[in-house]
Amino acid sequence: MSTYDTDNTLLFEMLGKGNGTEVFTTAAQTGKDFYCVYFPIASVIASIAGDATNITALNGQTMAAGSSLLLRVTAITLTSGMGIGYRENDGNTSA
């Protein structure tokens, strides 16, 4: 993610512009690099992986409609519902 938004890259990522946005339901999402997952409807997380401490505590949790996870997610599977994953657009995944 851009450290400095001199060309509106961050704004475009947040708005879902570019190739970094994926809408998914219950199919396993693996090998991802989402920095945010938004849940437009109530959704149940079957499993989740990423670099946040204790991220697996979210396994089995219901996410309310309109909620977001603002953390790096490398894999997620939903039991039910829908998610929108936001991925890096500028190629800088170390920030």
Side-chain angles (χ1 to χ4, degrees), residues 18-58:
N19 299 323
T21 306
E22 295 183 39
V23 178
F24 59 92
T25 57
T26 56
Q29 304 297 305
T30 59
K32 304 298 180 182
D33 189 23
F34 297 140
Y35 64 85
C36 174
V37 178
Y38 172 70
F39 301 96
I41 61 175
S43 303
V44 179
I45 298 173
S47 63
I48 189 169
D51 62 1
T53 302
N54 241 358
I55 192 170
T56 56
L58 292 169

PDB file of all heavy atoms in Angstrom, residues 18-58:
ATOM      1  N   GLY A  18      -9.614  -0.259  -9.666  1.00  0.00           N
ATOM      2  CA  GLY A  18      -8.450  -1.053 -10.051  1.00  0.00           C
ATOM      3  C   GLY A  18      -8.739  -2.537  -9.940  1.00  0.00           C
ATOM      4  O   GLY A  18      -9.881  -2.977  -9.876  1.00  0.00           O
ATOM      5  N   ASN A  19      -7.676  -3.321  -9.897  1.00  0.00           N
ATOM      6  CA  ASN A  19      -7.803  -4.778  -9.891  1.00  0.00           C
ATOM      7  C   ASN A  19      -7.748  -5.377  -8.505  1.00  0.00           C
ATOM      8  O   ASN A  19      -7.573  -6.572  -8.370  1.00  0.00           O
ATOM      9  CB  ASN A  19      -6.680  -5.375 -10.749  1.00  0.00           C
ATOM     10  CG  ASN A  19      -6.761  -4.907 -12.172  1.00  0.00           C
ATOM     11  OD1 ASN A  19      -7.841  -4.749 -12.704  1.00  0.00           O
ATOM     12  ND2 ASN A  19      -5.626  -4.674 -12.799  1.00  0.00           N
ATOM     13  N   GLY A  20      -7.893  -4.583  -7.464  1.00  0.00           N
ATOM     14  CA  GLY A  20      -7.671  -5.082  -6.121  1.00  0.00           C
ATOM     15  C   GLY A  20      -8.897  -5.473  -5.335  1.00  0.00           C
ATOM     16  O   GLY A  20      -8.799  -5.746  -4.150  1.00  0.00           O
ATOM     17  N   THR A  21     -10.069  -5.511  -5.935  1.00  0.00           N
ATOM     18  CA  THR A  21     -11.294  -5.787  -5.186  1.00  0.00           C
ATOM     19  C   THR A  21     -11.899  -7.111  -5.637  1.00  0.00           C
ATOM     20  O   THR A  21     -12.035  -7.351  -6.829  1.00  0.00           O
ATOM     21  CB  THR A  21     -12.314  -4.653  -5.401  1.00  0.00           C
ATOM     22  OG1 THR A  21     -11.691  -3.418  -5.078  1.00  0.00           O
ATOM     23  CG2 THR A  21     -13.524  -4.834  -4.514  1.00  0.00           C
ATOM     24  N   GLU A  22     -12.247  -7.954  -4.669  1.00  0.00           N
ATOM     25  CA  GLU A  22     -12.862  -9.244  -4.990  1.00  0.00           C
ATOM     26  C   GLU A  22     -14.102  -9.448  -4.127  1.00  0.00           C
ATOM     27  O   GLU A  22     -14.056  -9.285  -2.912  1.00  0.00           O
ATOM     28  CB  GLU A  22     -11.894 -10.389  -4.716  1.00  0.00           C
ATOM     29  CG  GLU A  22     -10.667 -10.367  -5.604  1.00  0.00           C
ATOM     30  CD  GLU A  22      -9.771 -11.558  -5.348  1.00  0.00           C
ATOM     31  OE1 GLU A  22     -10.283 -12.675  -5.126  1.00  0.00           O
ATOM     32  OE2 GLU A  22      -8.544 -11.351  -5.369  1.00  0.00           O
ATOM     33  N   VAL A  23     -15.192  -9.821  -4.760  1.00  0.00           N
ATOM     34  CA  VAL A  23     -16.427 -10.164  -4.061  1.00  0.00           C
ATOM     35  C   VAL A  23     -16.479 -11.683  -3.977  1.00  0.00           C
ATOM     36  O   VAL A  23     -16.250 -12.376  -4.970  1.00  0.00           O
ATOM     37  CB  VAL A  23     -17.663  -9.625  -4.815  1.00  0.00           C
ATOM     38  CG1 VAL A  23     -18.945 -10.035  -4.115  1.00  0.00           C
ATOM     39  CG2 VAL A  23     -17.572  -8.107  -4.953  1.00  0.00           C
ATOM     40  N   PHE A  24     -16.751 -12.210  -2.779  1.00  0.00           N
ATOM     41  CA  PHE A  24     -16.781 -13.660  -2.618  1.00  0.00           C
ATOM     42  C   PHE A  24     -17.891 -14.078  -1.665  1.00  0.00           C
ATOM     43  O   PHE A  24     -18.384 -13.278  -0.877  1.00  0.00           O
ATOM     44  CB  PHE A  24     -15.421 -14.186  -2.138  1.00  0.00           C
ATOM     45  CG  PHE A  24     -14.960 -13.605  -0.824  1.00  0.00           C
ATOM     46  CD1 PHE A  24     -15.260 -14.226   0.374  1.00  0.00           C
ATOM     47  CD2 PHE A  24     -14.217 -12.430  -0.789  1.00  0.00           C
ATOM     48  CE1 PHE A  24     -14.843 -13.698   1.576  1.00  0.00           C
ATOM     49  CE2 PHE A  24     -13.781 -11.890   0.407  1.00  0.00           C
ATOM     50  CZ  PHE A  24     -14.096 -12.531   1.599  1.00  0.00           C
ATOM     51  N   THR A  25     -18.271 -15.348  -1.773  1.00  0.00           N
ATOM     52  CA  THR A  25     -19.272 -15.913  -0.858  1.00  0.00           C
ATOM     53  C   THR A  25     -18.609 -17.044  -0.083  1.00  0.00           C
ATOM     54  O   THR A  25     -17.667 -16.799   0.629  1.00  0.00           O
ATOM     55  CB  THR A  25     -20.540 -16.350  -1.621  1.00  0.00           C
ATOM     56  OG1 THR A  25     -20.176 -17.286  -2.637  1.00  0.00           O
ATOM     57  CG2 THR A  25     -21.260 -15.166  -2.247  1.00  0.00           C
ATOM     58  N   THR A  26     -19.058 -18.268  -0.246  1.00  0.00           N
ATOM     59  CA  THR A  26     -18.569 -19.361   0.594  1.00  0.00           C
ATOM     60  C   THR A  26     -17.402 -20.150  -0.010  1.00  0.00           C
ATOM     61  O   THR A  26     -16.898 -21.063   0.629  1.00  0.00           O
ATOM     62  CB  THR A  26     -19.715 -20.337   0.926  1.00  0.00           C
ATOM     63  OG1 THR A  26     -20.303 -20.803  -0.296  1.00  0.00           O
ATOM     64  CG2 THR A  26     -20.789 -19.643   1.753  1.00  0.00           C
ATOM     65  N   ALA A  27     -16.966 -19.809  -1.197  1.00  0.00           N
ATOM     66  CA  ALA A  27     -15.795 -20.479  -1.779  1.00  0.00           C
ATOM     67  C   ALA A  27     -14.536 -20.033  -1.027  1.00  0.00           C
ATOM     68  O   ALA A  27     -14.394 -18.857  -0.685  1.00  0.00           O
ATOM     69  CB  ALA A  27     -15.668 -20.140  -3.262  1.00  0.00           C
ATOM     70  N   ALA A  28     -13.647 -20.970  -0.771  1.00  0.00           N
ATOM     71  CA  ALA A  28     -12.413 -20.655  -0.047  1.00  0.00           C
ATOM     72  C   ALA A  28     -11.582 -19.636  -0.827  1.00  0.00           C
ATOM     73  O   ALA A  28     -11.384 -19.783  -2.033  1.00  0.00           O
ATOM     74  CB  ALA A  28     -11.604 -21.922   0.186  1.00  0.00           C
ATOM     75  N   GLN A  29     -11.104 -18.626  -0.131  1.00  0.00           N
ATOM     76  CA  GLN A  29     -10.234 -17.603  -0.710  1.00  0.00           C
ATOM     77  C   GLN A  29      -8.837 -17.827  -0.136  1.00  0.00           C
ATOM     78  O   GLN A  29      -8.606 -17.577   1.039  1.00  0.00           O
ATOM     79  CB  GLN A  29     -10.737 -16.201  -0.343  1.00  0.00           C
ATOM     80  CG  GLN A  29     -12.171 -15.929  -0.754  1.00  0.00           C
ATOM     81  CD  GLN A  29     -12.349 -15.984  -2.255  1.00  0.00           C
ATOM     82  OE1 GLN A  29     -11.661 -15.282  -2.997  1.00  0.00           O
ATOM     83  NE2 GLN A  29     -13.263 -16.815  -2.705  1.00  0.00           N
ATOM     84  N   THR A  30      -7.923 -18.332  -0.943  1.00  0.00           N
ATOM     85  CA  THR A  30      -6.572 -18.616  -0.457  1.00  0.00           C
ATOM     86  C   THR A  30      -5.550 -17.861  -1.295  1.00  0.00           C
ATOM     87  O   THR A  30      -5.832 -17.450  -2.416  1.00  0.00           O
ATOM     88  CB  THR A  30      -6.266 -20.127  -0.524  1.00  0.00           C
ATOM     89  OG1 THR A  30      -6.404 -20.567  -1.876  1.00  0.00           O
ATOM     90  CG2 THR A  30      -7.216 -20.924   0.368  1.00  0.00           C
ATOM     91  N   GLY A  31      -4.366 -17.684  -0.730  1.00  0.00           N
ATOM     92  CA  GLY A  31      -3.302 -16.981  -1.435  1.00  0.00           C
ATOM     93  C   GLY A  31      -3.616 -15.513  -1.679  1.00  0.00           C
ATOM     94  O   GLY A  31      -3.164 -14.922  -2.653  1.00  0.00           O
ATOM     95  N   LYS A  32      -4.382 -14.917  -0.799  1.00  0.00           N
ATOM     96  CA  LYS A  32      -4.796 -13.523  -0.948  1.00  0.00           C
ATOM     97  C   LYS A  32      -3.885 -12.607  -0.134  1.00  0.00           C
ATOM     98  O   LYS A  32      -3.078 -13.053   0.672  1.00  0.00           O
ATOM     99  CB  LYS A  32      -6.245 -13.340  -0.481  1.00  0.00           C
ATOM    100  CG  LYS A  32      -7.232 -14.240  -1.182  1.00  0.00           C
ATOM    101  CD  LYS A  32      -7.278 -13.965  -2.667  1.00  0.00           C
ATOM    102  CE  LYS A  32      -8.271 -14.868  -3.375  1.00  0.00           C
ATOM    103  NZ  LYS A  32      -8.302 -14.651  -4.802  1.00  0.00           N
ATOM    104  N   ASP A  33      -4.047 -11.327  -0.339  1.00  0.00           N
ATOM    105  CA  ASP A  33      -3.357 -10.320   0.460  1.00  0.00           C
ATOM    106  C   ASP A  33      -4.314  -9.154   0.667  1.00  0.00           C
ATOM    107  O   ASP A  33      -4.056  -8.038   0.242  1.00  0.00           O
ATOM    108  CB  ASP A  33      -2.063  -9.859  -0.222  1.00  0.00           C
ATOM    109  CG  ASP A  33      -1.230  -8.974   0.695  1.00  0.00           C
ATOM    110  OD1 ASP A  33      -1.398  -9.068   1.929  1.00  0.00           O
ATOM    111  OD2 ASP A  33      -0.431  -8.175   0.187  1.00  0.00           O
ATOM    112  N   PHE A  34      -5.453  -9.448   1.297  1.00  0.00           N
ATOM    113  CA  PHE A  34      -6.439  -8.416   1.572  1.00  0.00           C
ATOM    114  C   PHE A  34      -5.978  -7.575   2.762  1.00  0.00           C
ATOM    115  O   PHE A  34      -5.507  -8.104   3.752  1.00  0.00           O
ATOM    116  CB  PHE A  34      -7.795  -9.031   1.924  1.00  0.00           C
ATOM    117  CG  PHE A  34      -8.433  -9.837   0.827  1.00  0.00           C
ATOM    118  CD1 PHE A  34      -9.086 -11.018   1.133  1.00  0.00           C
ATOM    119  CD2 PHE A  34      -8.406  -9.424  -0.497  1.00  0.00           C
ATOM    120  CE1 PHE A  34      -9.703 -11.764   0.144  1.00  0.00           C
ATOM    121  CE2 PHE A  34      -9.010 -10.171  -1.493  1.00  0.00           C
ATOM    122  CZ  PHE A  34      -9.666 -11.343  -1.171  1.00  0.00           C
ATOM    123  N   TYR A  35      -6.133  -6.260   2.668  1.00  0.00           N
ATOM    124  CA  TYR A  35      -5.875  -5.403   3.824  1.00  0.00           C
ATOM    125  C   TYR A  35      -7.182  -5.037   4.513  1.00  0.00           C
ATOM    126  O   TYR A  35      -7.186  -4.507   5.614  1.00  0.00           O
ATOM    127  CB  TYR A  35      -5.085  -4.142   3.443  1.00  0.00           C
ATOM    128  CG  TYR A  35      -5.817  -3.208   2.505  1.00  0.00           C
ATOM    129  CD1 TYR A  35      -6.707  -2.256   2.988  1.00  0.00           C
ATOM    130  CD2 TYR A  35      -5.597  -3.269   1.138  1.00  0.00           C
ATOM    131  CE1 TYR A  35      -7.368  -1.401   2.129  1.00  0.00           C
ATOM    132  CE2 TYR A  35      -6.249  -2.412   0.279  1.00  0.00           C
ATOM    133  CZ  TYR A  35      -7.138  -1.480   0.775  1.00  0.00           C
ATOM    134  OH  TYR A  35      -7.785  -0.636  -0.081  1.00  0.00           O
ATOM    135  N   CYS A  36      -8.309  -5.334   3.868  1.00  0.00           N
ATOM    136  CA  CYS A  36      -9.625  -5.085   4.447  1.00  0.00           C
ATOM    137  C   CYS A  36     -10.601  -6.099   3.870  1.00  0.00           C
ATOM    138  O   CYS A  36     -10.545  -6.418   2.685  1.00  0.00           O
ATOM    139  CB  CYS A  36     -10.087  -3.666   4.111  1.00  0.00           C
ATOM    140  SG  CYS A  36     -11.785  -3.305   4.624  1.00  0.00           S
ATOM    141  N   VAL A  37     -11.488  -6.603   4.727  1.00  0.00           N
ATOM    142  CA  VAL A  37     -12.606  -7.416   4.260  1.00  0.00           C
ATOM    143  C   VAL A  37     -13.868  -6.766   4.812  1.00  0.00           C
ATOM    144  O   VAL A  37     -14.003  -6.564   6.019  1.00  0.00           O
ATOM    145  CB  VAL A  37     -12.508  -8.887   4.725  1.00  0.00           C
ATOM    146  CG1 VAL A  37     -13.724  -9.672   4.251  1.00  0.00           C
ATOM    147  CG2 VAL A  37     -11.231  -9.534   4.213  1.00  0.00           C
ATOM    148  N   TYR A  38     -14.766  -6.405   3.903  1.00  0.00           N
ATOM    149  CA  TYR A  38     -16.028  -5.759   4.254  1.00  0.00           C
ATOM    150  C   TYR A  38     -17.150  -6.774   4.088  1.00  0.00           C
ATOM    151  O   TYR A  38     -17.161  -7.547   3.128  1.00  0.00           O
ATOM    152  CB  TYR A  38     -16.263  -4.548   3.348  1.00  0.00           C
ATOM    153  CG  TYR A  38     -17.623  -3.924   3.497  1.00  0.00           C
ATOM    154  CD1 TYR A  38     -17.966  -3.232   4.655  1.00  0.00           C
ATOM    155  CD2 TYR A  38     -18.571  -4.021   2.484  1.00  0.00           C
ATOM    156  CE1 TYR A  38     -19.220  -2.659   4.798  1.00  0.00           C
ATOM    157  CE2 TYR A  38     -19.819  -3.449   2.614  1.00  0.00           C
ATOM    158  CZ  TYR A  38     -20.142  -2.768   3.767  1.00  0.00           C
ATOM    159  OH  TYR A  38     -21.382  -2.206   3.919  1.00  0.00           O
ATOM    160  N   PHE A  39     -18.100  -6.781   5.025  1.00  0.00           N
ATOM    161  CA  PHE A  39     -19.220  -7.716   4.992  1.00  0.00           C
ATOM    162  C   PHE A  39     -20.516  -6.923   4.786  1.00  0.00           C
ATOM    163  O   PHE A  39     -21.045  -6.346   5.739  1.00  0.00           O
ATOM    164  CB  PHE A  39     -19.277  -8.526   6.295  1.00  0.00           C
ATOM    165  CG  PHE A  39     -18.021  -9.312   6.542  1.00  0.00           C
ATOM    166  CD1 PHE A  39     -17.015  -8.797   7.356  1.00  0.00           C
ATOM    167  CD2 PHE A  39     -17.817 -10.542   5.957  1.00  0.00           C
ATOM    168  CE1 PHE A  39     -15.846  -9.501   7.576  1.00  0.00           C
ATOM    169  CE2 PHE A  39     -16.651 -11.254   6.162  1.00  0.00           C
ATOM    170  CZ  PHE A  39     -15.660 -10.733   6.987  1.00  0.00           C
ATOM    171  N   PRO A  40     -21.050  -6.883   3.559  1.00  0.00           N
ATOM    172  CA  PRO A  40     -22.265  -6.099   3.309  1.00  0.00           C
ATOM    173  C   PRO A  40     -23.523  -6.725   3.912  1.00  0.00           C
ATOM    174  O   PRO A  40     -24.507  -6.024   4.136  1.00  0.00           O
ATOM    175  CB  PRO A  40     -22.354  -6.051   1.780  1.00  0.00           C
ATOM    176  CG  PRO A  40     -21.574  -7.221   1.316  1.00  0.00           C
ATOM    177  CD  PRO A  40     -20.507  -7.461   2.341  1.00  0.00           C
ATOM    178  N   ILE A  41     -23.477  -8.023   4.153  1.00  0.00           N
ATOM    179  CA  ILE A  41     -24.582  -8.723   4.820  1.00  0.00           C
ATOM    180  C   ILE A  41     -23.997  -9.552   5.961  1.00  0.00           C
ATOM    181  O   ILE A  41     -22.797  -9.804   5.997  1.00  0.00           O
ATOM    182  CB  ILE A  41     -25.383  -9.628   3.842  1.00  0.00           C
ATOM    183  CG1 ILE A  41     -24.477 -10.710   3.240  1.00  0.00           C
ATOM    184  CG2 ILE A  41     -26.022  -8.799   2.735  1.00  0.00           C
ATOM    185  CD1 ILE A  41     -25.221 -11.712   2.362  1.00  0.00           C
ATOM    186  N   ALA A  42     -24.826  -9.964   6.894  1.00  0.00           N
ATOM    187  CA  ALA A  42     -24.349 -10.796   8.000  1.00  0.00           C
ATOM    188  C   ALA A  42     -23.662 -12.029   7.437  1.00  0.00           C
ATOM    189  O   ALA A  42     -24.177 -12.681   6.530  1.00  0.00           O
ATOM    190  CB  ALA A  42     -25.508 -11.190   8.905  1.00  0.00           C
ATOM    191  N   SER A  43     -22.474 -12.326   7.962  1.00  0.00           N
ATOM    192  CA  SER A  43     -21.660 -13.420   7.426  1.00  0.00           C
ATOM    193  C   SER A  43     -20.988 -14.170   8.559  1.00  0.00           C
ATOM    194  O   SER A  43     -20.633 -13.577   9.575  1.00  0.00           O
ATOM    195  CB  SER A  43     -20.583 -12.854   6.491  1.00  0.00           C
ATOM    196  OG  SER A  43     -21.163 -12.091   5.455  1.00  0.00           O
ATOM    197  N   VAL A  44     -20.811 -15.470   8.372  1.00  0.00           N
ATOM    198  CA  VAL A  44     -20.150 -16.302   9.373  1.00  0.00           C
ATOM    199  C   VAL A  44     -18.801 -16.742   8.815  1.00  0.00           C
ATOM    200  O   VAL A  44     -18.730 -17.308   7.719  1.00  0.00           O
ATOM    201  CB  VAL A  44     -21.003 -17.530   9.751  1.00  0.00           C
ATOM    202  CG1 VAL A  44     -20.285 -18.394  10.779  1.00  0.00           C
ATOM    203  CG2 VAL A  44     -22.363 -17.092  10.277  1.00  0.00           C
ATOM    204  N   ILE A  45     -17.743 -16.488   9.566  1.00  0.00           N
ATOM    205  CA  ILE A  45     -16.392 -16.873   9.160  1.00  0.00           C
ATOM    206  C   ILE A  45     -16.154 -18.323   9.568  1.00  0.00           C
ATOM    207  O   ILE A  45     -16.192 -18.645  10.762  1.00  0.00           O
ATOM    208  CB  ILE A  45     -15.340 -15.965   9.815  1.00  0.00           C
ATOM    209  CG1 ILE A  45     -15.535 -14.522   9.356  1.00  0.00           C
ATOM    210  CG2 ILE A  45     -13.930 -16.458   9.498  1.00  0.00           C
ATOM    211  CD1 ILE A  45     -14.653 -13.524  10.076  1.00  0.00           C
ATOM    212  N   ALA A  46     -15.921 -19.189   8.599  1.00  0.00           N
ATOM    213  CA  ALA A  46     -15.586 -20.585   8.905  1.00  0.00           C
ATOM    214  C   ALA A  46     -14.130 -20.668   9.334  1.00  0.00           C
ATOM    215  O   ALA A  46     -13.803 -21.287  10.348  1.00  0.00           O
ATOM    216  CB  ALA A  46     -15.843 -21.475   7.692  1.00  0.00           C
ATOM    217  N   SER A  47     -13.244 -20.039   8.556  1.00  0.00           N
ATOM    218  CA  SER A  47     -11.818 -20.015   8.899  1.00  0.00           C
ATOM    219  C   SER A  47     -11.189 -18.770   8.297  1.00  0.00           C
ATOM    220  O   SER A  47     -11.645 -18.261   7.276  1.00  0.00           O
ATOM    221  CB  SER A  47     -11.107 -21.275   8.399  1.00  0.00           C
ATOM    222  OG  SER A  47     -11.158 -21.327   6.986  1.00  0.00           O
ATOM    223  N   ILE A  48     -10.124 -18.316   8.954  1.00  0.00           N
ATOM    224  CA  ILE A  48      -9.429 -17.121   8.497  1.00  0.00           C
ATOM    225  C   ILE A  48      -7.957 -17.242   8.871  1.00  0.00           C
ATOM    226  O   ILE A  48      -7.611 -17.836   9.894  1.00  0.00           O
ATOM    227  CB  ILE A  48     -10.059 -15.844   9.102  1.00  0.00           C
ATOM    228  CG1 ILE A  48      -9.476 -14.575   8.470  1.00  0.00           C
ATOM    229  CG2 ILE A  48      -9.953 -15.842  10.614  1.00  0.00           C
ATOM    230  CD1 ILE A  48     -10.240 -13.310   8.826  1.00  0.00           C
ATOM    231  N   ALA A  49      -7.085 -16.709   8.018  1.00  0.00           N
ATOM    232  CA  ALA A  49      -5.645 -16.706   8.285  1.00  0.00           C
ATOM    233  C   ALA A  49      -5.082 -15.350   7.890  1.00  0.00           C
ATOM    234  O   ALA A  49      -5.601 -14.683   6.996  1.00  0.00           O
ATOM    235  CB  ALA A  49      -4.944 -17.811   7.494  1.00  0.00           C
ATOM    236  N   GLY A  50      -4.029 -14.959   8.565  1.00  0.00           N
ATOM    237  CA  GLY A  50      -3.378 -13.691   8.283  1.00  0.00           C
ATOM    238  C   GLY A  50      -2.265 -13.466   9.280  1.00  0.00           C
ATOM    239  O   GLY A  50      -1.879 -14.378  10.015  1.00  0.00           O
ATOM    240  N   ASP A  51      -1.751 -12.237   9.332  1.00  0.00           N
ATOM    241  CA  ASP A  51      -0.623 -11.987  10.225  1.00  0.00           C
ATOM    242  C   ASP A  51      -0.996 -11.281  11.523  1.00  0.00           C
ATOM    243  O   ASP A  51      -0.128 -10.913  12.293  1.00  0.00           O
ATOM    244  CB  ASP A  51       0.492 -11.237   9.494  1.00  0.00           C
ATOM    245  CG  ASP A  51       0.071  -9.873   9.001  1.00  0.00           C
ATOM    246  OD1 ASP A  51      -1.078  -9.474   9.223  1.00  0.00           O
ATOM    247  OD2 ASP A  51       0.917  -9.195   8.379  1.00  0.00           O
ATOM    248  N   ALA A  52      -2.268 -11.097  11.797  1.00  0.00           N
ATOM    249  CA  ALA A  52      -2.690 -10.484  13.061  1.00  0.00           C
ATOM    250  C   ALA A  52      -2.565 -11.497  14.197  1.00  0.00           C
ATOM    251  O   ALA A  52      -2.810 -12.691  14.012  1.00  0.00           O
ATOM    252  CB  ALA A  52      -4.124  -9.992  12.960  1.00  0.00           C
ATOM    253  N   THR A  53      -2.200 -11.035  15.357  1.00  0.00           N
ATOM    254  CA  THR A  53      -2.108 -11.896  16.532  1.00  0.00           C
ATOM    255  C   THR A  53      -3.484 -12.464  16.849  1.00  0.00           C
ATOM    256  O   THR A  53      -4.467 -11.735  16.893  1.00  0.00           O
ATOM    257  CB  THR A  53      -1.586 -11.094  17.744  1.00  0.00           C
ATOM    258  OG1 THR A  53      -0.321 -10.542  17.399  1.00  0.00           O
ATOM    259  CG2 THR A  53      -1.462 -11.960  18.973  1.00  0.00           C
ATOM    260  N   ASN A  54      -3.573 -13.765  17.046  1.00  0.00           N
ATOM    261  CA  ASN A  54      -4.808 -14.449  17.428  1.00  0.00           C
ATOM    262  C   ASN A  54      -5.927 -14.328  16.392  1.00  0.00           C
ATOM    263  O   ASN A  54      -7.099 -14.355  16.753  1.00  0.00           O
ATOM    264  CB  ASN A  54      -5.304 -13.930  18.777  1.00  0.00           C
ATOM    265  CG  ASN A  54      -5.366 -15.017  19.811  1.00  0.00           C
ATOM    266  OD1 ASN A  54      -5.075 -16.170  19.524  1.00  0.00           O
ATOM    267  ND2 ASN A  54      -5.749 -14.656  21.008  1.00  0.00           N
ATOM    268  N   ILE A  55      -5.591 -14.197  15.120  1.00  0.00           N
ATOM    269  CA  ILE A  55      -6.606 -14.028  14.081  1.00  0.00           C
ATOM    270  C   ILE A  55      -7.579 -15.205  14.040  1.00  0.00           C
ATOM    271  O   ILE A  55      -8.750 -15.042  13.719  1.00  0.00           O
ATOM    272  CB  ILE A  55      -5.966 -13.783  12.695  1.00  0.00           C
ATOM    273  CG1 ILE A  55      -7.026 -13.314  11.700  1.00  0.00           C
ATOM    274  CG2 ILE A  55      -5.229 -15.013  12.197  1.00  0.00           C
ATOM    275  CD1 ILE A  55      -6.469 -12.818  10.388  1.00  0.00           C
ATOM    276  N   THR A  56      -7.116 -16.391  14.419  1.00  0.00           N
ATOM    277  CA  THR A  56      -7.992 -17.573  14.372  1.00  0.00           C
ATOM    278  C   THR A  56      -9.114 -17.501  15.407  1.00  0.00           C
ATOM    279  O   THR A  56     -10.054 -18.286  15.338  1.00  0.00           O
ATOM    280  CB  THR A  56      -7.189 -18.872  14.564  1.00  0.00           C
ATOM    281  OG1 THR A  56      -6.463 -18.789  15.788  1.00  0.00           O
ATOM    282  CG2 THR A  56      -6.229 -19.092  13.402  1.00  0.00           C
ATOM    283  N   ALA A  57      -9.057 -16.533  16.329  1.00  0.00           N
ATOM    284  CA  ALA A  57     -10.164 -16.340  17.269  1.00  0.00           C
ATOM    285  C   ALA A  57     -11.437 -15.912  16.530  1.00  0.00           C
ATOM    286  O   ALA A  57     -12.531 -16.008  17.083  1.00  0.00           O
ATOM    287  CB  ALA A  57      -9.790 -15.305  18.322  1.00  0.00           C
ATOM    288  N   LEU A  58     -11.289 -15.474  15.291  1.00  0.00           N
ATOM    289  CA  LEU A  58     -12.453 -15.082  14.495  1.00  0.00           C
ATOM    290  C   LEU A  58     -13.149 -16.276  13.847  1.00  0.00           C
ATOM    291  O   LEU A  58     -14.253 -16.130  13.326  1.00  0.00           O
ATOM    292  CB  LEU A  58     -12.036 -14.079  13.412  1.00  0.00           C
ATOM    293  CG  LEU A  58     -11.595 -12.712  13.927  1.00  0.00           C
ATOM    294  CD1 LEU A  58     -10.947 -11.906  12.803  1.00  0.00           C
ATOM    295  CD2 LEU A  58     -12.772 -11.961  14.511  1.00  0.00           C
TER     296      LEU A  58
END
